Amino acid sequence: SWLEIDLEAIAENVRRFRFHVGEKTQVIAVLKADAYGHGAIPTAQAALAGGARRFGVANLDEALELRAAGLLGPIHVLGPLFFADASTVVEHDLIPSVGDTEQLSWLNQAALAQRKVATIHLKVDTGMGRFGVLPADAATLAEQVRESRGIRVEGTCTHMSKSRDRTFSRVQLDRFREACSLFEAAGLPAGIRHAANSWAAI
């Protein structure tokens, strides 16, 4: 058996998504698990042709594969960060999702050691249950961010766990907005906000 991938179809799908969500909304092309078996590098290039300007991967190894292929744009590491990853994440200008003070501390130390500023997105757990700061703890995380000289927050994100369930998705969005408000009240702009997977965007 074999699978034939139409890269122009992928590019057209991205174009249609960009039109659907509007000019002010960015599209992150998620390339987890070798782009779900489609081939991470050719899929990334097709997504670029369709207008994607950001990529998302599950872990550090996937991000480094994209960097090695010459992709220089923003690459989001969507999975949890480990202590051993922090220095490499900073070195390659990757954007980790940070959901607790421990991860934040690792990145801050790595950034200061390299005399750089690490760009992060704050991850809020609104119901997925994988990882992320709970809305009730958002102010505590924001306080540590403000004290971290090696950290720049570019955005805030969450993950829709049941995007076809509109009732629970609205609950998650309410929790996400609550956390963003707490970040802002603590003097930390929420920045770019992203939550919707493909189904939620549709």
Side-chain angles (χ1 to χ4, degrees):
S1 63
W2 67 90
L3 179 67
E4 294 184 3
I5 307 297
D6 186 338
L7 294 174
E8 178 51 39
I10 292 175
E12 180 61 19
N13 286 344
V14 175
R15 291 186 193 101
R16 287 173 181 258
F17 253 104
R18 290 184 60 239
F19 177 78
H20 175 69
V21 299
E23 293 181 358
K24 294 182 179 180
T25 302
Q26 299 183 51
V27 172
I28 301 175
V30 178
L31 306 172
K32 297 177 180 179
D34 197 32
Y36 303 95
H38 291 64
I41 305 307
T43 300
Q45 293 166 340
L48 273 175
R53 291 296 177 263
R54 293 174 177 266
F55 300 99
V57 295
N59 55 50
L60 179 59
D61 288 342
E62 292 177 351
L64 294 178
E65 180 185 2
L66 297 183
R67 280 285 186 258
L71 293 172
L72 303 177
I75 299 176
H76 298 260
V77 181
L78 301 173
L81 176 73
F82 300 101
F83 173 74
D85 299 338
S87 181
T88 306
V89 165
V90 174
E91 178 185 353
H92 291 276
D93 298 317
L94 304 173
I95 304 173
S97 301
V98 176
D100 62 50
T101 57
E102 190 174 39
Q103 294 174 333
L104 184 66
S105 178
W106 298 339
L107 284 163
N108 186 55
Q109 292 173 32
L112 293 176
Q114 296 180 39
R115 297 185 178 181
K116 296 177 72 173
V117 175
T119 299
I120 70 170
H121 282 215
L122 298 172
K123 174 68 179 290
V124 182
D125 184 357
T126 59
M128 188 71 179
R130 287 180 180 167
F131 80 102
V133 64
L134 296 173
D137 299 324
T140 301
L141 182 60
E143 182 178 351
Q144 184 170 337
V145 170
R146 289 191 290 113
E147 295 173 354
S148 301
R149 294 184 293 110
I151 297 295
R152 179 180 79 92
V153 175
E154 182 190 46
T156 312
C157 61
T158 193
H159 195 302
M160 311 300 288
S161 62
K162 301 177 182 178
S163 56
R164 297 188 186 209
D165 182 342
R166 295 191 177 192
T167 299
F168 188 63
S169 293
R170 290 191 181 101
V171 170
Q172 285 194 262
L173 286 174
D174 287 342
R175 292 172 180 170
F176 185 51
R177 292 187 182 102
E178 175 191 351
C180 290
S181 295
L182 289 169
F183 288 140
E184 291 176 338
L188 190 67
I192 299 170
R193 300 182 184 187
H194 51 109
N197 56 20
S198 298
W199 184 265
I202 291 170

